Amino acid sequence: MAERQKPPTLSLEKRVKSFEEVKGTYPPHQAIAEAARCLFCHDAPCNKECPAGIDIVKFIRRIKTKDFRSAIRTVRESNVLAGVCARICPTEKLCEKPCSATELVKPINIAALQRFVTDLEMREGIKLPKKAAPTGKKVAVIGSGPASLAAAAELAKAGHGVTIFEVKSLPGGVLTYGIPSYRLPKDVVMAEIDFIKQLGVEIRTDTPLDEKLNIGALFGQGFDAIFIGAGVGRPYFVRMPGEDLNGVYSALEFLSQVNLYQSEEKKEFPLRVGKRALVIGGGNVAMDAACSLLRLGAEKVHIVCLESFEEMPAFPSEIEFAKEEGVEFHPRSKPLKILGDSNGMVSGFEGIGIRWKEPGNFSPSNAIPIEGTEFSLEVETVIEAIGQGSDPSLAPILSGVKTTERGLILVDEEIHMTSREGVFAGGDIVNGGDTVARAIGEGKKAAEGISNYLKSSIKGES
Amino acid sequence: MSSEVNLSIELCGIKFANPFILSAGPPTDDVKMVKRAFEADWAGAILKTTSVENQVVELVYPMMAGLDFEDKKLIGLGNIDLISEHHIDEVEGRVAELKKEFPDRVVGTSIMGAKKEDWQTIVRRLEAAGVDLIECSFSCPQGSLGEKPGAMVAQDPKLTKTIVGWVKGAAKRAPVFIKITPQVADIVEIGQAVKEGGADGITASNTIPSLMGINLDTFEPYPTVDGKSSYSGLSGVAIKPITLRVIAELAKNVGIPISGTGGATTWQDVVEFMLVGAGNVQFCTAVMRNGYRIIDDLKDGLTNYLDDKGMSSPSELIGRTLPKLTVHDELSREYKVVAEVNRKTCVKDDLCYITCRDAGHEAIELDEERLPVIDEEKCVGCGLCVAICPVWDCVKLKKVEKKEKK
Ligand SMILES: Cc1cc2nc3c(=O)[nH]c(=O)nc-3n(C[C@H](O)[C@H](O)[C@H](O)COP(=O)(O)OP(=O)(O)OC[C@H]3O[C@@H](n4cnc5c(N)ncnc54)[C@H](O)[C@@H]3O)c2cc1C
Ligand SMILES: Cc1cc2nc3c(=O)[nH]c(=O)nc-3n(C[C@H](O)[C@H](O)[C@H](O)COP(=O)(O)O)c2cc1C
Ligand code: SF4
Ligand code: SF4
Ligand code: SF4
């Protein structure tokens, strides 16, 4: 069996110095070689693990037979953000996980093949699919992250009028303001959003849903159904002494600035990035923050987290990526306090080693400090990436919509309708925070639910 | 747009929903399986070769062996199968059943007889059952003609013409195709005999007699049946160039409808078969390897290709390459090309360098960066490096002015 094809990748020296995309696209011979490794399993296990519902085995077969047009169509018809996904899907826990080729050599590099196909497509411009005849129904979509974009695209294809309301000035949610461009270049995000606009979706940016423009008001404006894809945008903090010092940021705020900084040329970076910096947290957001700090010029970046390497929620590939770039990890450690200088600036950090009281429970309350393992670090910047949750300011918008204690929206799993009729939801605001592909899958499911709901109400009227 | 492309074609007055049909072989030897193939959208099937009830068909096992190359499995398949164990009494029922359930699919049947009476009986019974097309197997490599083992009807022009006459004498309605072997000195001679006998078309061609390999420990040939083997019929990717040549020769020199078979695996192969004159294309080994489902790849691929070419029907392809095939003497001696390397995409594996050094004209040197540099004085433009370079579009031939020899 042939080896798994590795796509062209920036060298380590080059990549840590810029926000240029690290991974490249397969040249055609590599794409065909990788496609030729696929075993074309009957009832393919990979297909079942793509949350966005791509017919993987089909598009790979089309690449193998050099029918790139059909490969493009196959990918695009189930995933309007296929170019995004090809870059940032954690494939090791999704489509590649059950791949039958794993035992032979290594799983098929499905994302790289998907990337090959979507990059080809971008060069020619994304072709618009057939749309159903207009139904005359109007749907309001709150937020413009992947869940909302996927829902909006499916609804537009089904012939409904769709309007997205987004509080920020650019659409895309985490794709635009979260994930750094060395993993996900913004022109890819914008090209796919443009395609969704061409499907007929109207996007109103700088337009927050709030107490005045709430769900009731939208129904009042004549919308027949509403989809909520507001994500989980409120960062959590450790709550320790020193958090009010200058130089302490949440990862979401920091990454948002990193992305804005990328889009506006040669502006000074507005946050304080010292020569030495610390990121608290063991998830992907922490990895993104740490590697972005290096690219902004930090010489030494530390990561402190409660978990051991095996326990960290970040994908193994992302941890490996950060290690390669020289990030120093302090696993199984708990933050104690942030130290400041006389000017109120961050100057250091103190932490302590921990063990778990109850094995397998990785919550902070289960961590027992181990005496004598106290340590301190000299740092000028501290970024907290310990998780995020639903924004409490959503509550007044959501009248009649049942939520969990943590403010996550409860939905019917099949059709994604909330407790309020005609109001649907999906993505992080429902699942608490997972992957882009899952947000897309849920957005698609909800769109189907909405279409069926609108159909039955059309019948009801006649 | 692809909506304008219509894949349906006509051959000898028979309408096919697309040019892809299943050839006589394991994928067509069971009625339930053929039904699944039709549901998958194969346009037709030639049921595996049948015979009269008293013909003895004794199979041996194992009957197949694969030809692998490096990490590629099954670039060829060898079989020592025989014709179907199912005789005409059973097959006529299958034909009727398939036609009833799938009236828009083409149901053909491959047949073989030992004497005139056998051939004619089978034809009459199949026509009565509603068969659309009859294909006569004149080329089973495991059969024997009288006392000559391995000999095939289609290696004997006279016999070919006689038997075609018998079959055509019995066939009142269904077109008759003769399936020939590429294993002859002059394919045109056989093609002519088929035509003179009055057949409606030729199925070109069939497996090629081969020896699949030998077990190095036991010295036993493959596929090994209790320590021994016989010569296999080779099919699959490996024989495609031979099939292409056979179809081209027949199309150029005989002028008779042709159904292509032998090595077709992808939609590109189908395009090629048609460009040299095939009216439709039969598949066996490709289906044995990857299942009926390949029909989806074939249909999509051909549709997109025709659309890109601005064509609306596959029949526009038929024979387009024939005027570009000529005898060696007539090829231009004024045409001069030299190799050219794309320095951006070259991965520096030195393959072109080695091949030109040891089997070409020592026209490639490696520069300080280990990139190949072509010496245009020495390069004769033989094309070997292009065939060897593993990178897509990296080494190409470019046209240059021919210099006068000093
Ligand atoms: C830094 C980071 C890196 C990540 N990396 C990956 C990765 O590599 N792979 C992966 O699969 N997943 C990754 N994720 C997770 C992934 O991004 C999310 O699961 C996904 O974006 C969820 O999509 P969504 O549409 O539900 O929400 P979001 O993308 O969060 O979008 C929500 C949108 O709603 C808007 N909004 C909120 N409230 C309102 C309101 N009141 N009115 C109007 N608009 C509002 C927000 O501004 C935002 O645009 C990452 C997340 C982060 C934070
Ligand atoms: C196992 C096997 C059995 C076959 N049996 C028959 C047969 O009964 N009659 C026949 O005309 N051809 C038979 N063939 C030949 C195929 O129909 C076909 O012409 C040949 O395999 C070349 O095409 P391919 O490369 O697409 O397989 C058989 C081929 C194989 C591999
Ligand atoms: S969308 Fe993501 S999960 Fe689905 S096939 Fe593509 S890379 Fe895999
Ligand atoms: S599981 Fe792996 S080998 Fe099987 S079809 Fe999917 S990608 Fe190909
Ligand atoms: S064979 Fe192709 S890739 Fe290899 S050295 Fe020659 S030009 Fe470069």
Side-chain angles (χ1 to χ4, degrees), chain B residues 94-160:
Chain B
R94 292 179 172 188
V95 169
E97 183 179 338
L98 287 168
K99 275 318 289 182
K100 185 159 167 252
E101 249 178 81
F102 298 91
D104 72 328
R105 300 290 122 172
V106 176
V107 180
T109 303
S110 170
I111 67 171
M112 192 195 241
K115 48 186 194 292
K116 180 176 179 182
E117 187 196 330
D118 293 354
W119 286 104
Q120 296 199 327
T121 320
I122 303 173
V123 170
R124 290 198 190 97
R125 289 172 69 173
L126 284 173
E127 282 207 331
V131 84
D132 293 310
L133 182 157
I134 287 166
E135 187 179 275
C136 301
S137 174
F138 281 16
S139 47
C140 176
Q142 272 69 244
S144 51
L145 265 188
E147 53 286 356
K148 248 175 99 185
M152 309 173 225
V153 176
Q155 288 173 324
D156 180 338
K158 258 216 212 105
L159 189 59
T160 293

Side-chain angles (χ1 to χ4, degrees), chain A residues 15-93:
Chain A
R15 86 184 197 211
V16 288
K17 291 204 189 93
S18 84
F19 280 87
E20 194 183 330
E21 185 169 21
V22 172
K23 276 197 204 143
T25 195
Y26 276 153
H29 61 274
Q30 269 197 302
I32 288 165
E34 188 62 14
R37 291 205 314 121
C38 170
L39 305 164
F40 306 114
C41 310
H42 172 64
D43 206 8
C46 51
N47 276 8
K48 301 199 177 80
E49 296 301 329
C50 171
I54 293 185
D55 189 343
I56 297 165
V57 61
K58 178 170 162 184
F59 98 77
I60 296 182
R61 252 167 47 196
R62 298 301 198 264
I63 295 177
K64 176 168 130 145
T65 57
K66 303 193 187 90
D67 180 6
F68 300 142
R69 253 174 81 179
S70 294
I72 290 171
R73 202 186 328 123
T74 305
V75 167
R76 188 55 73 192
E77 73 193 3
S78 17
N79 191 344
V80 285
L81 294 168
V84 166
C85 284
R87 287 165 171 85
I88 51 95
C89 271
T91 51
E92 62 256 59
K93 64 172 223 183

Side-chain angles (χ1 to χ4, degrees), chain B residues 23-26 48-49 79 81 110 179 206-207 235-236 261-263 284-285:
Chain B
S23 77
K48 188 163 163 60
T49 311
N79 81 82
D81 193 9
S110 170
K179 187 165 178 178
N206 202 330
T207 54
S235 62
T261 170
C284 181
T285 305

